[in-house]
Amino acid sequence: MEIIWYHPSLAPHGWLDGLRQRLPEARVRHWQPGDTAPADYAIVRSPPVEMLAGRQLKGVFAMGAGVDEILKQIRENPQMLADEVPLFRLEDTGMARQMQEYANWCVLGWFRRFADYRQLQQQSQWQELDGRDRHNFTVGVLGAGVLGRSVLESLRQWGFPLRSWSRSAKQIDGVQSFHGRDQLNAFLDGTQVLIDLLPTTPETTNLIDSHLLRVLPRGACFLNLARGAHVVEADLLAALNSGQLAAAALDVFQTEPLPQDHPLWSHPHVTITPHTAAITLPGEAMDYIADAILALQQGDKPGGLVDRQRGY
């Protein structure tokens, strides 16, 4: 069994050694330009077209939960990957817990008004602020996949009303579920904290715009843990400046790295992190990939298979 590996910035040795330990019968190599030797599986991040084009692969594994980047490459270069070659993404592999940590930190901080107290501290003001009503502090998650469900489950312990919105109908215990465009406004109406965990598809690109943000109650908060492509940033800034949004925590952006002169950097009600809400954990990722390859070798279907038409 031949496995090729490629990442544009990571050092290969830890990955290659880890995969060899987990798949001792496999020959694992770092793909480099000019390598046309046979391969059964490919493990990739932003692969060059020539790495995959023309190969009779049994499976390709993207080193991340999002696959919009490689799907864009395939759309632009159809010869890159035949339709019959299955493409897999990392469904969790330690990312869910990291998303839970980030979401809980933001939601609890907004609920307890810690940012407001921070501003009072900077003004040397000893002032008690009115508390929020837990039963009216509705948290809504856009996206009810593995990560969206995980975040919702982690928030359940705090007693907030929880909502989810997804492309198709989903049932999650303790969560009011909405689906489809027809139910989007109903989902937004009354949502005090909006969390984006959608995949990137043509339908979700620029979804979060002025029209969507106006449906939220005035003073709502927004957390983006998904992709910057979902947000019209000028509309987001306008909503923050007008008070329609009280705060935003943003881990992803239309352009990354975020340009140094971008107004989001200095906005007083914005928290920025550099696309680190959930990083790929090599050990967990290699465990999943090794198990998935063994399942494919035995004729089984592992989780994480991407529907290329849907985009996730």
Side-chain angles (χ1 to χ4, degrees), residues 216-239:
L216 294 168
R218 185 171 178 81
C221 301
F222 173 60
L223 167 59
N224 193 356
L225 298 174
R227 285 292 185 269
H230 300 167
V231 180
V232 179
E233 289 176 352
D235 293 355
L236 175 64
L237 276 163

Side-chain angles (χ1 to χ4, degrees), residues 290-301:
D291 289 344
I293 287 175
L294 292 174
L296 288 169
Q297 288 290 98
Q298 296 168 5
D300 296 329
K301 294 182 179 180

Side-chain angles (χ1 to χ4, degrees), residues 166-179:
S166 53
R167 179 179 181 273
S168 56
K170 302 285 175 63
Q171 295 297 320
I172 307 172
D173 289 344
V175 176
Q176 185 180 11
S177 298
F178 300 81
H179 69 278

Side-chain angles (χ1 to χ4, degrees), residues 96 99-101 103-104 107 137-166 170-178 187 191 193-197 223 225:
M99 292 290 192
Q100 290 175 354
E101 293 165 350
N104 277 263
V107 171
F137 198 72
T138 300
V139 181
V141 175
L142 288 165
V146 171
L147 297 178
R149 285 173 176 265
S150 175
V151 165
L152 285 163
E153 289 167 2
S154 72
L155 289 168
R156 188 179 296 133
Q157 63 184 309
W158 305 111
F160 304 124
L162 301 176
R163 296 177 176 180
S164 72
W165 181 86
S166 53
K170 302 285 175 63
Q171 295 297 320
I172 307 172
D173 289 344
V175 176
Q176 185 180 11
S177 298
F178 300 81
F187 161 80
T191 292
V193 176
L194 179 66
I195 302 175
D196 179 19
L197 278 166
L223 167 59
L225 298 174

Side-chain angles (χ1 to χ4, degrees), residues 47-50 53 70-82 308:
V49 174
E50 63 178 297
I70 190 170
L71 289 178
K72 182 175 184 289
Q73 288 182 279
I74 294 169
R75 286 195 300 272
E76 294 174 350
N77 305 277
Q79 78 281 12
M80 182 177 178
L81 196 65
R308 296 200 210 173

